Amino acid sequence: MTRKLHVAAAQLGAVHLADSRESVVNRLRALLAQAHARGVKFVVFPETALTTFFPRYWFDDPREVDDRFFERTMPSPVTQPLFDDAKRYGIGFYLGYAELTEQEGRTRRFNTAILVSPAGEIVGKYRKVHLPGHAEHKPQAAFQHLEKKYFEVGDLGFRTWRMQDAIMGMLICNDRRWPEAFRALTLQGAELVTLGFNTPTENLHYPEPPALRVHHHLIMAQAMAFMNATWLIETAKCGFEDGFRMFGNSLIVAPSGEIVAKTVTEDDELINFDADLDLAQDLKRTMFNYAAHRRPEHYRILIDRVGAQTTPQNG
Ligand code: CDV
């Protein structure tokens, strides 16, 4: 018997600075209701789903950032209805949010995602490892990307969880550009990788056509899914947030590298697919049988070296 899991990406359109968390949670609940109506059993929501993508703004008062954009508890009174709905429908989900936590007397902030079971329990947490952007104010730039200011590098590593008869792993946005992240998850058996993202249509560093940025997003997703023999769900928050555009193109990719569903709008939109999880197992037994074919004795450099150095053998 094949193991099927009916999955969905629940894309969010723009969330503006003035939008309340309550209004966003209502939109997430509407997407969840749609998912339920379509028979979906697992939903991936975006990165920092509850607020606008605030790292694009510099704030002089750090307390304002904490109060407006970070969650001190999860679920909170505002997010509890989403958990309640999911439990009532029997749907598991991934949710990204900005997490503020007190650890050993120290306030810590992470870009976080959680895995919630169909019983409404948080079964897994991931804190984003690859934080893009910068920490200093760039007043000349069209917008900021201050993830290195607002978040610490995640301290939980890359882990997997068994949920809904699948082995799942979580990543967040920029992680999708790093093969190491996918390999770390699939070395632990991941057969479904989940990821939320917020990707500006404009490149902060140099001019780049928006279509090329989407092209990179698509080829990365297809390549990572295939080379790691895993299902992959990537969900955007997108559209014009107070005039700052982020692209959509949320997608579900099969372990074959084929895109089986993709959004067509930059608004709230649900895409779904009844995924055969054993498709991943076929590839894991053959082409990407790690135990048979990987050669870690030649991969030492991947751990020892961070930045590239030019070290050709012939000087
Ligand atoms: N939220 C992100 O991590 N965004 C990055 C942008 C800044 C390049 C991304 O990788 O999509």
Side-chain angles (χ1 to χ4, degrees), residues 168-288:
M168 301 188 188
M170 289 185 278
L171 298 175
I172 303 178
C173 196
N174 192 261
D175 290 324
R176 76 195 193 282
R177 302 178 192 272
W178 300 96
E180 297 88 338
F182 284 84
R183 193 46 57 98
L185 290 181
T186 52
L187 275 167
Q188 299 168 73
E191 50 195 1
L192 173 57
V193 175
T194 54
L195 178 148
F197 67 96
N198 288 262
T199 301
T201 302
E202 191 180 328
N203 186 334
L204 190 58
H205 307 287
Y206 57 88
E208 187 179 35
L212 190 55
R213 287 173 72 71
V214 172
H215 173 69
H216 294 154
H217 160 70
L218 299 178
I219 58 171
M220 285 188 299
Q222 294 187 261
M224 297 296 183
F226 175 64
M227 289 189 294
N228 290 281
T230 181
W231 285 92
L232 172 60
I233 306 173
E234 297 190 344
T235 307
K237 180 148 67 59
C238 55
F240 288 87
E241 290 196 335
D242 292 302
F244 298 97
R245 189 176 183 185
M246 302 188 293
F247 65 70
N249 288 269
S250 303
L251 37 74
I252 302 172
V253 190
S256 59
E258 290 163 292
I259 296 171
V260 296
K262 185 161 83 63
T263 54
V264 292
T265 71
E266 290 183 349
D267 290 318
D268 295 7
E269 182 181 345
L270 188 89
I271 51 168
N272 57 297
F273 191 79
D274 198 14
D276 175 358
L277 296 166
D278 289 321
L279 264 187
Q281 292 304 330
D282 287 345
L283 262 179
K284 285 177 196 296
R285 271 191 296 269
T286 56
M287 169 97 69
F288 295 118

Side-chain angles (χ1 to χ4, degrees), residues 288-299:
F288 295 118
N289 180 337
Y290 291 169
H293 306 307
R294 289 183 77 248
R295 292 286 166 246
E297 67 273 26
H298 293 293
Y299 303 157

